[in-house]
Amino acid sequence: MTKRIMGAAAAAMLCVGFSPLRAGMLDLRVGAGLSAANPDAFEQRVKDVSGSTLRAKTFDTYNADVVFRFPGVPVTLGVRYEQANQKRNDAASEWKLNVNNLALLVDWRLINSAVYVGPIVSVGYPWANLKFHDGSNRVDRRIHSNQISYSGGLEAGVYLGPLLIGAEAG
């Protein structure tokens, strides 16, 4: 009977987000990846300006997060700074694009122990720097967005002492 009660209590704590003591409630995270964004609209704008036939591919992305974990609650809040970079050139043309985003993060950890899994969402403010040149045109522009950015996905990871190894998709 005691084993059943202990097992049920352990399962309940896992489901509601009980987490063992770790190095702290503040996570500092860095990440790198590829963006699945469709660059067709960007390519068309560059082509309209220059007549160039440069084609965009995937964007390299980097991020740094500061995330606060609430004790005993399966919700975290944080801030993310992210960059997506791309440089393309051919014989006569080159562009460099650096897209930045400062976002508020919220996640809900359905499993929140030494292993965590759950949905994550972000809302942010993007801006970009674009440099383009070819034989006849030169553009060097800072672009401010009038729209907010947003994302949603699933995150999972494991705490290994004070270290965190995880992944996001979405």
Side-chain angles (χ1 to χ4, degrees):
M1 181 69 154
T2 304
K3 286 184 180 181
R4 271 191 173 160
I5 292 172
M6 293 298 282
M13 285 188 272
L14 183 66
C15 289
V16 299
F18 176 81
S19 58
L21 291 175
R22 291 191 279 268
M25 291 183 289
L26 193 65
D27 289 342
L28 304 175
R29 309 186 304 197
V30 294
L34 298 174
S35 173
N38 183 343
D40 290 344
F42 173 70
E43 287 176 352
Q44 187 59 49
R45 291 178 82 181
V46 171
K47 186 176 181 180
D48 291 346
V49 169
S50 67
S52 168
T53 59
L54 289 173
R55 300 278 309 163
K57 293 186 179 177
T58 59
F59 289 83
D60 298 331
T61 61
Y62 306 95
N63 66 280
D65 303 348
V66 177
V67 179
F68 183 78
R69 293 181 285 111
F70 295 95
V73 179
V75 174
T76 65
L77 293 176
V79 176
R80 171 176 287 172
Y81 171 74
E82 55 192 337
Q83 278 190 335
N85 300 297
Q86 187 173 87
K87 180 179 177 180
R88 288 278 171 254
N89 57 30
D90 62 17
S93 304
E94 177 181 71
W95 82 50
K96 293 179 186 176
L97 177 65
N98 180 5
V99 179
N100 303 279
N101 192 43
L102 185 61
L104 175 65
L105 295 175
V106 178
D107 71 13
W108 178 37
R109 295 188 171 172
L110 301 170
I111 298 173
N112 191 26
S113 59
V115 174
Y116 68 89
V117 175
I120 184 169
V121 295
S122 73
V123 176
Y125 174 75
W127 69 95
N129 295 307
L130 171 65
K131 293 182 181 184
F132 172 84
H133 70 85
D134 65 8
S136 60
N137 295 299
R138 178 171 292 278
V139 175
D140 189 349
R141 209 170 270 156
R142 183 171 173 111
I143 303 162
H144 295 277
S145 177
N146 295 332
Q147 299 177 352
I148 61 171
S149 66
Y150 55 91
S151 68
L154 182 67
E155 69 171 351
V158 61
Y159 283 93
L160 302 172
L163 298 177
L164 164 70
I165 298 174
E168 268 182 46

